[in-house]
Amino acid sequence: MQRLLKQSLVVTASLLALGTASLASSDLQTIMKERKLTEKDVLAAAKTYQPSGRKDEFVVFSSGGQSGQILVYGVPSMRIYKYIGVFTPEPWQGYGFDDDSKKVLRQGDIRGREINWGDTHHPNFTEKNGEYVGDYLFINDKANPRIAVVNLHDFETTQIVVNPIMKSEHGGSFVTPNTEYVIEASQYAAPLDHQYHPIEEYEAVFRGAVTLWKFDYAKGKIDEKASFSLEFPPYMQDLSDAGKGESFGWAFTNSFNSEMYTGGIEKGLPPFEAGMSRNDTDYMHVYNWQMLEKLAQDPKNYKIYHGHRVISIEAAVKAGALFLIPEPKSPHGVDVSPDGRYIVVGGKLDTHASVYDFRKIKQLIDKKEFIGADPYGIPILDMKKTLHGQVELGLGPLHHTYDAQDGIIYTSLYVDSQIVKWDYKNLKVLDRVNVHYNIGHLDSMEGKSAKPKGKYALALDKLSIDRFNPVGPLHPQNHQLIDIGGPKMELIYDLPIPLGEPHDVISIAADKLKPQVTYPMGTNSRTGKQHEAMTLAGQERVERKGNEVKIYGTLIRSHINPEHVTVNKGDKVTFYLTNLERAQDETHGFAVSGYNVHASVEPGKTVAVTFTADEEGVFPYYCTEFCSALHLEMMGYLYVKDPKKKYESVKELKLQKMSKEQLESEYKKVIATNKATDDVIQSVVKFLKDKNYAKYPKVKSLVEDALDQYGKIGEVKAKADESYKKGDVNGAILWEYQVWQYMVKTADVGLRAKNNLAKELATPMKPAAQKGEEAYLKGGCNGCHVIGQVSSGPDLTGVLSRHENAEKWVFDFIKNPASKYEEDYVKTMINYFNLRMPNQHMNDQEIKDIIEYLKWIDENAGLF
Ligand code: CUK
Ligand code: CUA
């Protein structure tokens, strides 16, 4: 009694303390003052904040630069959702640590060398009519010229292709309007024959190129055999873009060394940077991939390098498929307008952006009107005659993105650290906003597609300098979110990126992405097909052939089957594991001590991990995802024996064992626990059935999962009974515990289903009731009152029918509880709960709202 009383005082005191604290900190003005926030800050917060459970409108895929990965985040919340391993192993996804993902990573090996990193720059989606489809994503590797395919049905990398002729690239991956080709243009020129050549042969044998990778949509794969390249002069090609609309069939690639300067700082010559920026103009390469596609059919037009067709400059020129247009000094981004008519180029070393008009380009090409040819014979068009106009933007214009509004474009200024909004048709600057600092790419939502969505823009800043808490000399990168919905751009959010330099992002309306949430049973996620080693419940086995051991295992909450595997030292061991779960997010992991293998096995997936058991000993293996309350118990042992050795058995240690009576009493206890647990389950099942759960798909899938678990009980229970009959009480107890495990898992999911169903069924809350619930929570009322249950205070369901003139009674009681402490009813309650209702100092409006909330509770009685 004494103890209880003391406890109740503590509870009351802490509730009161909670009451005042939350009152103070829930006042917006106070918080703004305390946190030194301006109204503009609060507005920015309101524009980006997503309440728990709310989803984002856009999903952004960002290259991870030198991390070789992709990261995925949401707009406007700027919450990071995922890193996708692409050119780099990513252990939490098992990428590079299980057999099938290793195969994907090893596709990226170059001339026999293992490459385990990449420098990712430009992600791009599959397109239809120039609009994003978003079922596959392509990304390039600048350092080791490669393109990867990420399947957006499960956000996994499924293919890497190595460029057969280039030594570095940059103008990838750009997708033609119906995903016919993925474009990859070289960066640093090099000999295509992969042989040694001195720099003196630069003009003669060093070459750039563009590769047109054929995408096979049906297979979701790049078809290397159907792909081909076009040879370019050694002008150091850069960014590229595919034409669309009126420029469909054409593509555009920038360059920055039309001087063909070859450096030599070590010989006392001016460095590359000096000689490469000498000319006032460089060249935009204009080429027609539809014509090139035809040229690639006839061997007289191409040369084979490393099994790959490379169309010669000569053949392309002859066919009228390749032209050059001068463009301002050392340009960087080239971006085709949504309708395909204009091509905007930013010259890094020029303060202007140049707007080319494709109609004019096409006219000159049709009339064969050229101002000459370059040393390789490529016709050059007159820059002035192809320009729509130029606009002075500021220092270091790099990249561009288009707005939903026709004629509006945004350009990043690297040196000025700004975004400029301008009108590329009327050639007028409209607005500018500062970013922090040194911006590279930028993106308005779907801003490089034929149908930009506008709304928000992302600034990908190269430096963050002083923006964040310091974390050492290597600073995080900074992505900034800008509201471009109004006439003035407004910076509203900073997202530090802890992962390489993200060169470019691509954004898509979230509802276009429809990834699956579980796999069809037995899926090999890297091929999309059924895994040859899919193993279902009851099929678990170990097969040996010579020194190869194959374990066909299964994973389910919370055991790995098998739990013991013995092999010989030197055996080649493969664990095939199928996750039998059907429920969303029930991933299991698999790791073996010391053998450098790891798998992430999502529901329905089958994975394989192979290693040579070259070390004798006992090696635990276990699940690496906290998948249930019994996750730590999800383990097993691998025993590696040396077949050449004789093992003497160790004398068994005699330990005290349980008596027969003790065993009997434990058996009774577990039987009683199981009965009680089953009662709870049955009451939940009754609730679900009574309320027709099957009508609600989300609830239905949860119930199915729960019943899956429950369905396993019969077999285990039979084993328990059999053991008991045979007099093996210890065995019976263990099997009964296993029954309980399944019950706990059933109840866990079942209760989740019940809560979900209750939410579906409850009548919508009126605004007053919503405010009432807020006041109720703010006041800490839920500390003592649990709706639908007697807790440390009475259940409030039905409180409005417990008293005469109840609304007034409840109002008065909340307003001044002490005034009723002497009433018989309240006295009984105080005695029963050993607790007095405290005065929470609610104002009249709050109390009225709480009464509305109580009415809503009564309307929904029985659901909670
Ligand atoms: S790039 Cu890095 S800022 Cu590779 Cu498109 Cu321009
Ligand atoms: Cu499965 Cu932890």
Side-chain angles (χ1 to χ4, degrees):
M1 190 66 194
Q2 267 284 314
R3 199 177 58 91
L4 266 176
L5 194 71
K6 220 164 141 192
Q7 225 173 34
S8 78
L9 284 172
V10 172
V11 169
T12 317
S14 62
L15 274 178
L16 282 170
L18 203 99
T20 40
S22 65
L23 266 179
S25 61
S26 64
D27 178 60
L28 188 59
Q29 298 301 326
T30 315
I31 295 172
M32 283 171 66
K33 220 167 127 194
E34 271 172 18
R35 298 203 59 219
K36 301 193 176 73
L37 298 175
T38 64
E39 219 161 88
K40 220 175 138 201
D41 295 333
V42 174
L43 207 60
K47 283 177 183 177
T48 54
Y49 175 71
Q50 294 289 28
S52 180
R54 183 93 48 94
K55 301 195 174 76
D56 277 309
E57 192 181 346
F58 296 97
V59 177
V60 175
F61 294 76
S62 171
S63 59
Q66 317 89 319
S67 77
Q69 292 159 318
I70 288 174
L71 74 139
V72 186
Y73 61 85
V75 162
S77 77
M78 304 296 272
R79 295 179 297 197
I80 295 177
Y81 294 131
K82 197 170 215 173
Y83 295 145
I84 305 172
V86 181
F87 297 110
T88 306
E90 184 63 40
W92 80 283
Q93 295 160 3
Y95 188 60
F97 299 91
D98 71 52
D99 295 1
D100 297 294
S101 66
K102 266 184 204 165
K103 275 185 209 155
V104 175
L105 208 50
R106 294 286 68 85
Q107 289 170 8
D109 291 353
I110 298 185
R111 295 180 290 279
R113 191 191 310 281
E114 245 190 49
I115 310 277
N116 284 317
W117 82 288
D119 185 10
T120 56
H121 278 235
H122 306 110
N124 273 294
F125 297 118
T126 35
E127 293 182 13
K128 180 104 192 113
N129 296 323
E131 289 183 54
Y132 298 152
V133 181
D135 47 9
Y136 295 93
L137 184 104
F138 309 97
I139 192 155
N140 68 321
D141 173 6
K142 166 167 165 157
N144 321 288
R146 300 178 293 178
I147 300 279
V149 181
V150 176
N151 189 336
L152 294 179
H153 303 106
D154 59 359
F155 287 51
E156 285 198 354
T157 304
T158 48
Q159 189 186 19
I160 297 175
V161 291
V162 177
N163 193 294
I165 52 170
M166 296 175 191
K167 289 285 172 59
S168 89
E169 59 96 279
H170 192 226
S173 56
F174 295 92
V175 176
T176 55
N178 296 300
T179 325
E180 297 92 343
Y181 289 99
V182 181
I183 296 174
E184 183 184 30
S186 59
Q187 180 111 83
Y188 307 120
L192 302 184
D193 61 10
H194 293 173
Q195 311 263 312
Y196 162 77
H197 292 275
I199 195 68
E200 287 70 32
E201 294 173 16
Y202 187 81
E203 292 173 9
V205 295
F206 283 53
R207 285 291 176 274
V210 63
T211 300
L212 293 145
W213 292 104
K214 181 85 197 152
F215 187 64
D216 182 339
Y217 224 113
K219 291 199 181 119
K221 289 235 152 90
I222 286 173
D223 181 348
E224 294 182 71
K225 287 249 150 58
S227 306
F228 58 90
S229 297
L230 165 64
E231 177 193 17
F232 277 160
Y235 294 159
M236 306 296 190
Q237 284 71 27
D238 200 34
L239 285 153
S240 308
D241 201 3
K244 49 184 173 257
E246 37 185 297
S247 55
F248 181 86
W250 294 83
F252 311 93
T253 294
N254 279 343
S255 63
F256 59 81
N257 185 22
S258 55
E259 298 87 348
M260 295 195 277
Y261 185 63
T262 53
I265 195 167
E266 72 291 336
K267 288 180 276 187
L269 294 170
F272 272 120
E273 60 173 327
M276 283 181 171
S277 53
R278 180 172 177 179
N279 293 352
D280 281 340
T281 54
D282 284 295
Y283 289 127
M284 172 163 51
H285 302 57
V286 178
Y287 47 101
N288 185 306
W289 57 262
Q290 284 181 310
M291 289 183 200
L292 296 174
E293 195 174 45
K294 288 202 192 91
L295 294 180
Q297 304 310 316
D298 186 345
K300 73 172 191 289
N301 300 318
Y302 58 77
K303 221 175 134 183
I304 303 270
Y305 287 93
H306 323 292
H308 177 81
R309 291 168 292 167
V310 182
I311 299 170
S312 65
I313 293 176
E314 204 190 343
V317 168
K318 210 171 138 204
L322 174 62
F323 306 92
L324 297 173
I325 308 178
E327 52 185 358
K329 232 183 218 247
S330 303
H332 193 45
V334 51
D335 293 276
V336 177
S337 65
D339 62 2
R341 175 161 175 192
Y342 299 97
I343 303 143
V344 180
V345 173
K348 284 193 306 271
L349 300 180
D350 191 87
T351 51
H352 295 86
S354 305
V355 185
Y356 291 87
D357 183 344
F358 184 73
R359 249 177 235 178
K360 295 183 176 175
I361 295 174
K362 191 73 199 334
Q363 274 167 12
L364 293 178
I365 289 174
D366 290 345
K367 284 194 290 188
K368 296 200 166 54
E369 191 185 321
F370 310 122
I371 53 167
D374 82 333
Y376 297 87
I378 308 172
I380 303 172
L381 307 186
D382 186 338
M383 178 175 169
K384 280 219 182 71
K385 288 189 180 164
T386 53
L387 275 177
H388 168 67
Q390 290 183 311
V391 179
E392 171 134 16
L393 297 180
L395 294 178
L398 283 193
H399 291 286
H400 321 279
T401 185
Y402 292 90
D403 194 66
Q405 202 188 328
D406 187 41
I408 303 297
I409 189 170
Y410 303 86
T411 296
S412 58
L413 299 182
Y414 177 80
V415 180
D416 277 340
S417 295
Q418 280 182 338
I419 290 179
V420 189
K421 175 182 180 178
W422 55 289
D423 179 332
Y424 62 90
K425 290 190 173 165
N426 300 309
L427 307 172
K428 261 197 340 236
V429 171
L430 302 172
D431 187 27
R432 50 182 82 230
V433 67
N434 292 329
V435 293
H436 314 86
Y437 303 91
N438 299 85
I439 177 174
H441 276 272
L442 76 176
D443 186 37
S444 93
M445 299 300 100
E446 301 199 4
K448 290 158 211 157
S449 74
K451 283 246 171 66
K453 304 280 182 292
K455 275 190 132 164
Y456 304 100
L458 291 159
L460 277 57
D461 305 322
K462 302 286 179 199
L463 305 183
S464 64
I465 307 183
D466 54 2
R467 292 284 108 174
F468 305 113
N469 296 48
V471 289
L474 180 58
H475 290 42
Q477 308 290 325
N478 191 10
H479 281 203
Q480 293 184 303
L481 183 70
I482 292 139
D483 179 356
I484 55 170
K488 296 287 294 169
M489 292 182 279
E490 268 174 51
L491 176 70
I492 53 175
Y493 201 89
D494 277 26
L495 168 68
I497 301 263
L499 184 92
E501 182 188 329
H503 286 266
D504 192 12
V505 295
I506 189 131
S507 50
I508 191 166
D511 56 14
K512 284 194 190 169
L513 297 172
K514 294 193 175 64
Q516 50 196 348
V517 290
T518 59
Y519 289 106
M521 196 52 71
T523 302
N524 176 343
S525 64
R526 304 292 165 175
T527 63
K529 302 200 184 96
Q530 196 180 78
H531 203 290
E532 73 273 8
M534 169 173 87
T535 309
L536 300 178
Q539 299 175 341
E540 297 90 350
R541 66 202 183 273
V542 177
E543 288 178 1
R544 284 160 205 284
K545 220 198 228 160
N547 66 346
E548 276 188 27
V549 183
K550 295 183 169 179
I551 299 106
Y552 295 84
T554 58
L555 308 169
I556 196 156
R557 273 161 287 168
S558 299
H559 49 262
I560 302 169
N561 187 355
E563 293 185 332
H564 301 272
V565 173
T566 307
V567 301
N568 289 325
K569 189 176 163 183
D571 280 350
K572 190 177 157 205
V573 178
T574 303
F575 275 90
Y576 295 104
L577 298 159
T578 301
N579 181 347
L580 298 175
E581 306 281 357
R582 296 196 295 165
Q584 179 169 338
D585 209 8
E586 280 299 341
T587 295
H588 301 289
F590 181 77
V592 184
S593 165
Y595 275 108
N596 200 35
V597 290
H598 180 238
S600 169
V601 203
E602 297 86 54
K605 201 186 210 183
T606 298
V607 298
V609 298
T610 301
F611 54 93
T612 304
D614 48 14
E615 188 194 349
E616 180 197 324
V618 176
F619 303 90
Y621 51 81
Y622 71 99
C623 167
T624 56
E625 275 260 351
F626 210 109
C627 49
S628 80
L630 274 302
H631 150 78
L632 293 178
E633 290 77 356
M634 191 164 179
M635 54 90 59
Y637 284 111
L638 170 74
Y639 308 87
V640 183
K641 280 162 88 175
D642 187 340
K644 293 188 211 104
K645 259 198 198 162
K646 267 231 160 74
Y647 295 95
E648 279 183 33
S649 58
V650 177
K651 239 203 232 141
E652 233 184 281
L653 198 61
K654 279 254 178 296
L655 293 176
Q656 232 175 8
K657 296 238 165 86
M658 266 184 162
S659 71
K660 208 163 173 260
E661 291 71 36
Q662 283 171 321
L663 280 173
E664 280 294 339
S665 113
E666 191 186 345
Y667 178 71
K668 279 199 195 110
K669 221 170 93 193
V670 62
I671 292 275
T673 308
N674 285 357
K675 167 83 178 58
T677 313
D678 199 39
D679 288 347
V680 174
I681 291 172
Q682 292 315 325
S683 76
V684 174
V685 169
K686 185 170 179 307
F687 174 91
L688 290 164
K689 280 193 180 153
D690 287 353
K691 312 273 189 235
N692 293 320
Y693 74 88
K695 283 201 298 195
Y696 309 91
K698 215 169 117 191
V699 180
K700 192 170 165 237
S701 81
L702 283 169
V703 173
E704 276 169 4
D705 181 41
L707 294 179
D708 265 5
Q709 299 293 332
Y710 197 73
K712 296 187 184 112
I713 290 175
E715 199 186 319
V716 180
K717 176 73 184 156
K719 284 185 188 157
D721 292 346
E722 203 188 301
S723 302
Y724 191 75
K725 236 188 258 157
K726 280 196 304 200
D728 175 11
V729 186
N730 195 49
I733 290 171
L734 286 172
W735 284 120
E736 286 293 346
Y737 273 122
Q738 186 56 39
V739 168
W740 188 70
Q741 291 308 340
Y742 283 126
M743 284 180 169
V744 169
K745 285 164 207 159
T746 307
D748 177 26
V749 186
L751 288 171
R752 217 182 304 156
K754 189 186 168 203
N755 288 336
N756 256 294
L757 185 56
K759 251 187 245 154
E760 297 267 8
L761 295 173
T763 54
M765 256 193 220
K766 291 192 192 105
Q770 276 174 21
K771 279 206 196 119
E773 187 184 22
E774 268 170 38
Y776 175 87
L777 295 173
K778 209 169 84 180
C781 309
N782 58 332
C784 294
H785 301 285
V786 177
I787 307 300
Q789 272 177 48
V790 177
S791 172
S792 37
D795 180 7
L796 293 181
T797 317
V799 71
L800 292 175
S801 45
R802 282 208 282 269
H803 304 275
E804 230 170 276
N805 202 355
E807 280 188 38
K808 183 173 182 316
W809 190 92
V810 171
F811 186 94
D812 295 344
F813 188 46
I814 299 176
K815 185 95 193 162
N816 182 7
S819 69
K820 296 199 189 290
Y821 285 165
E822 292 308 313
E823 270 185 29
D824 280 352
Y825 178 81
V826 177
K827 244 190 194 163
T828 327
M829 289 293 130
I830 291 173
N831 281 336
Y832 182 83
F833 289 104
N834 213 337
L835 203 68
R836 285 170 179 188
M837 164 88 165
N839 191 334
Q840 300 296 71
H841 305 285
M842 302 264 176
N843 65 37
D844 290 4
Q845 190 55 49
E846 283 171 326
I847 301 176
K848 276 187 199 149
D849 291 340
I850 286 178
I851 288 170
E852 288 308 307
Y853 173 55
L854 293 172
K855 283 185 193 162
W856 178 83
I857 288 171
D858 283 350
E859 266 168 46
N860 294 291
L863 284 182
F864 303 102

